[in-house]
Amino acid sequence: MADGDIVGTQTGTESALSSYVGPYVTEMLGKGQALANQPYQAFTGPLSAGQSTAQQAAFQGVAGLAVPTQQMGTFQPQQFTAQTAQDYMNPYIQAALDPQIEEARRQAQITRLADAGRLTQAGAYGGSRQAIMESELNRNLGQNLAAITGQGYQTAYDKAMQQFMAEQGMQQQAQNMTNQYGLQALAAQANMGAQERAIEQEGIMADIAQFEEERDFPYKQVQYQQSLLQGLPLATQSYSYAEPSKLSQLMNASGGIANFFKMMGWGGGSAEEEPTP
């Protein structure tokens, strides 16, 4: 160290606000601290819209649908058997055929009487010619009656089959409609269930967000207070020093170590030696 350089040890540095911004900054920090100390104000109203009246009615309506799950399945067609044909044929077929049969017999009787009259005039009544004509008339009547009966039952059979097939088609269509309705009802219930779940999930997420906001509020307040200190105009600085000790002052004074020896009486000059006797 140079002579006369008497200094102490630096113990710290302190920064201060510029005098022209000091009051403003102090007031700002005070207001910021007051705001930061405010308690959390939670929103007390509903956090989600929830279900509307129309949605509630739709949910209840769809939930109340009777889904025919037991009736749903694959249509199993029936066989058209003889018993089925008998069941589907007109039970009054014989009553419908009787007038035709009776008319055929009446016409045959008229023919028989006419033939008998002609045979009588010819003097051949009761002979072989009459027997042949009678036999032919009976054969024709039998064929006519068989045709009437056969055609009647054939028509009844065809009608019975048509009715059976029509009912089978209607039953298959009814089964298809039942399946379609059941699937649509299940799809509607699943869709409404998804909407209900989404609405419920929206409320849960809103509650979670509210909880997290309230939980993080103290940390945000600390960050807010910290942000108030950022960028403040620090312009002046002051330094503090410790006072030097007496020894340090002595060692740094002019003469330094020599003066120290003199003060201790150790003498810094050379003494003259006495002559030896």
Side-chain angles (χ1 to χ4, degrees):
M1 292 184 182
D3 294 342
D5 186 10
I6 304 175
V7 295
T9 302
Q10 182 177 343
T11 59
T13 303
E14 181 178 357
S15 300
L17 294 171
S18 299
S19 59
Y20 72 95
V21 297
Y24 171 77
V25 173
T26 301
E27 182 180 0
M28 181 194 67
L29 292 176
K31 290 182 179 180
Q33 184 178 9
L35 290 175
N37 291 334
Q38 291 289 330
Y40 179 80
Q41 296 182 3
F43 178 69
T44 57
L47 300 178
S48 61
Q51 300 177 1
S52 66
T53 304
Q55 285 178 321
Q56 291 178 353
F59 293 154
Q60 293 175 358
V62 172
L65 289 177
V67 182
T69 53
Q70 296 182 353
Q71 290 76 23
M72 295 171 62
T74 304
F75 174 73
Q76 300 294 337
Q78 298 178 3
Q79 296 294 328
F80 187 74
T81 62
Q83 184 60 44
T84 305
Q86 185 67 32
D87 294 338
Y88 275 85
M89 289 174 65
N90 186 354
Y92 304 102
I93 183 173
Q94 190 61 47
L97 294 177
D98 285 345
Q100 300 180 51
I101 294 174
E102 186 65 27
E103 178 62 20
R105 287 175 176 173
R106 190 178 72 83
Q107 291 296 331
Q109 184 64 23
I110 293 174
T111 301
R112 181 178 292 108
L113 292 176
D115 291 343
R118 287 194 298 271
L119 289 173
T120 300
Q121 292 177 359
Y125 183 80
S128 60
R129 185 178 178 184
Q130 181 181 4
I132 295 173
M133 294 178 65
E134 186 72 20
S135 176
E136 185 68 17
L137 180 62
N138 290 333
R139 185 180 68 83
N140 290 336
L141 176 61
Q143 290 180 348
N144 193 15
L145 293 178
I148 292 173
T149 304
Q151 184 63 38
Y153 276 92
Q154 179 65 42
T155 301
Y157 179 87
D158 293 342
K159 293 290 185 181
M161 179 175 285
Q162 292 177 5
Q163 182 64 26
F164 171 79
M165 297 302 295
E167 291 187 7
Q168 288 289 291
M170 289 188 293
Q171 291 177 10
Q172 183 174 6
Q173 183 179 6
Q175 182 66 62
N176 293 338
M177 293 180 65
T178 300
N179 295 341
Q180 182 179 4
Y181 168 77
L183 293 175
Q184 290 178 348
L186 292 174
Q189 290 179 343
N191 182 40
M192 289 298 183
Q195 293 187 29
E196 285 184 307
R197 186 179 185 277
I199 294 174
E200 184 68 20
Q201 183 66 26
E202 180 183 359
I204 293 175
M205 295 305 296
D207 292 338
I208 292 175
Q210 181 72 7
F211 163 76
E212 291 177 346
E213 182 178 354
E214 187 171 356
R215 180 197 63 188
D216 298 340
F217 178 75
Y219 302 96
K220 292 181 179 180
Q221 295 301 90
V222 173
Q223 293 176 355
Y224 166 71
Q225 289 179 304
Q226 182 183 8
S227 67
L228 296 176
L229 299 175
Q230 296 177 356
L232 293 179
L234 303 177
T236 61
Q237 292 182 336
S238 61
Y239 304 93
S240 58
Y241 296 88
E243 185 178 356
S245 64
K246 295 295 185 181
L247 177 59
S248 178
Q249 294 178 10
L250 178 61
M251 295 296 292
N252 285 286
S254 179
I257 192 63
N259 293 333
F260 174 75
F261 287 151
K262 289 180 180 181
M263 289 180 62
M264 298 301 295
W266 292 340
S270 59
E272 296 182 359
E273 296 181 356
E274 296 181 0
T276 305

